[in-house]
Amino acid sequence: MQTLNLTPPRKAVLQVIQVATDHPTATEIMDRLNQQGQRFAYASIYNSLRYLAEHGMIQELNLGNGVTRYDGRLAEHQHLICRRCGAVMESTAAVPLDFIAGIEKETGFRVEQSDVRFVGLCPTCWAELAAHRVRPG
Amino acid sequence: MQTLNLTPPRKAVLQVIQVATDHPTATEIMDRLNQQGQRFAYASIYNSLRYLAEHGMIQELNLGNGVTRYDGRLAEHQHLICRRCGAVMESTAAVPLDFIAGIEKETGFRVEQSDVRFVGLCPTCWAELAAHRVRPG
DNA sequence: TTTCTTGCAAAACATTTGCAAATCG
DNA sequence: CGATTTGCAAATGTTTTGCAAGAAA
């Protein structure tokens, strides 16, 4: 299982994720495929998602709410989730290496992958709250 | 709704979470209550969990696998998840302030809460893998 | 009484699985 | 042929909801 076997459902699922500007769920991927006239079984969607994730083509995200979301961006990036409107923004800032090194030294754990989620207020919601009170909280 | 109303199920759920050394799921909390002879409905467990989380008494965790876990520790700490045995370790190292400041400057997002998850190998699994090959992957 | 809380059963979702049919090399 | 993949339907597991009954203010 060395080479990538991009069967039709896998290719279709991958294309939806790569074209998306958000982080679609399995259901949303299904919907978008249907809108394109492509029809697959849920089992095939999930099979494809697992396959693509295992082969490093996409990333699984747990942004909360118990639904798995998918991301076609492979380079390291962090997710910023607005607690007010739910918008998800991204930052390309890398997790500081000395932060990781310190944790490895402290715990003996070997960090391979970082998954950082910041919750707070997006610029829009921040501005809207600021318009109502002096100290948005 | 200013003061904390710790009804029996809420108090029982909170006690289970605070006593736990792991990060139990709703089902595990239910099981532990049953073992103590206490019986509540699932709806009451979930109601209590939502109430306690909204009132800052506990933290909801998404450590993966689509199940919500709960943590009674309120001070900032990070979770280290072993990709081999599933163990969850913790580190008290704080997310570097300049990391957050940089992201806020870059994006305009206002960070209120950090949620950092490191995936990798716990010391035990790391050692076991090292025993088998020179460069554990 | 008015409001909040509990608990049961049913519902709502997300995800997985069993298995037969289809596909591919 | 032999291995892999698809697709359907059913099962699984978690969490939510509707609503009647109970407790508290």
Side-chain angles (χ1 to χ4, degrees):
Chain A
M1 205 167 269
Q2 299 286 38
T3 62
L4 205 57
N5 181 12
L6 279 192
T7 63
R10 287 171 189 170
K11 192 181 289 185
V13 167
L14 180 59
Q15 171 261 336
V16 166
I17 295 173
Q18 286 179 336
V19 155
T21 58
D22 55 353
H23 309 84
T25 65
T27 307
E28 287 166 349
I29 291 167
M30 171 65 103
D31 290 346
R32 294 176 199 185
L33 286 173
N34 286 344
Q35 282 170 17
Q36 295 176 19
Q38 308 205 59
R39 194 138 305 161
F40 300 102
Y42 264 106
S44 304
I45 303 284
Y46 280 105
N47 280 339
S48 299
L49 288 170
R50 177 154 29 90
Y51 178 93
L52 293 169
E54 278 173 359
H55 288 74
M57 305 295 294
I58 62 175
Q59 253 192 296
E60 295 190 341
L61 301 181
N62 285 133
L63 300 184
N65 304 343
V67 202
T68 306
R69 296 185 166 276
Y70 297 89
D71 194 327
R73 295 190 49 196
L74 300 180
E76 177 179 4
H77 64 285
Q78 326 307 153
H79 292 103
L80 316 172
I81 304 162
C82 180
R83 68 144 209 268
R84 188 155 171 267
C85 71
V88 179
M89 300 176 59
E90 298 185 341
S91 161
T92 55
V95 179
L97 290 180
D98 52 352
F99 177 40
I100 294 177
I103 287 178
E104 290 188 324
K105 200 167 173 186
E106 173 198 354
T107 62
F109 191 92
R110 169 88 182 170
V111 173
E112 294 175 343
Q113 184 191 321
S114 308
D115 197 349
V116 178
R117 221 175 59 142
F118 291 111
V119 180
L121 290 171
C122 71
T124 308
C125 287
W126 168 251
E128 284 179 19
L129 287 183
H132 291 294
R133 17 176 175 162
V134 178
R135 311 182 100 230
Chain B
M1 202 167 270
Q2 299 287 38
T3 62
L4 205 57
N5 180 12
L6 278 191
T7 62
R10 287 171 189 169
K11 192 181 289 186
V13 167
L14 180 59
Q15 172 261 338
V16 167
I17 296 174
Q18 286 179 338
V19 156
T21 57
D22 54 354
H23 309 85
T25 64
T27 308
E28 288 165 349
I29 292 167
M30 170 66 104
D31 291 346
R32 293 175 198 184
L33 285 173
N34 286 344
Q35 281 171 17
Q36 294 177 20
Q38 309 205 60
R39 194 137 305 161
F40 300 101
Y42 264 106
S44 304
I45 302 285
Y46 279 105
N47 280 340
S48 299
L49 289 170
R50 178 153 28 89
Y51 179 93
L52 293 169
E54 278 172 359
H55 289 74
M57 305 295 296
I58 62 174
Q59 254 191 294
E60 295 191 339
L61 301 182
N62 285 132
L63 300 183
N65 304 342
V67 202
T68 305
R69 297 186 166 274
Y70 296 89
D71 194 328
R73 294 189 50 197
L74 299 179
E76 177 180 3
H77 63 285
Q78 326 307 150
H79 291 104
L80 315 171
I81 305 162
C82 179
R83 68 144 208 267
R84 188 155 171 269
C85 70
V88 179
M89 300 176 60
E90 299 185 342
S91 161
T92 55
V95 178
L97 290 180
D98 51 353
F99 177 40
I100 295 176
I103 286 177
E104 290 187 325
K105 202 168 173 186
E106 172 197 356
T107 61
F109 191 94
R110 170 90 182 166
V111 173
E112 293 175 343
Q113 185 191 321
S114 307
D115 196 349
V116 178
R117 223 174 58 141
F118 291 110
V119 180
L121 290 171
C122 71
T124 308
C125 287
W126 168 252
E128 284 179 19
L129 287 183
H132 290 294
R133 15 176 176 162
V134 178
R135 312 182 100 229

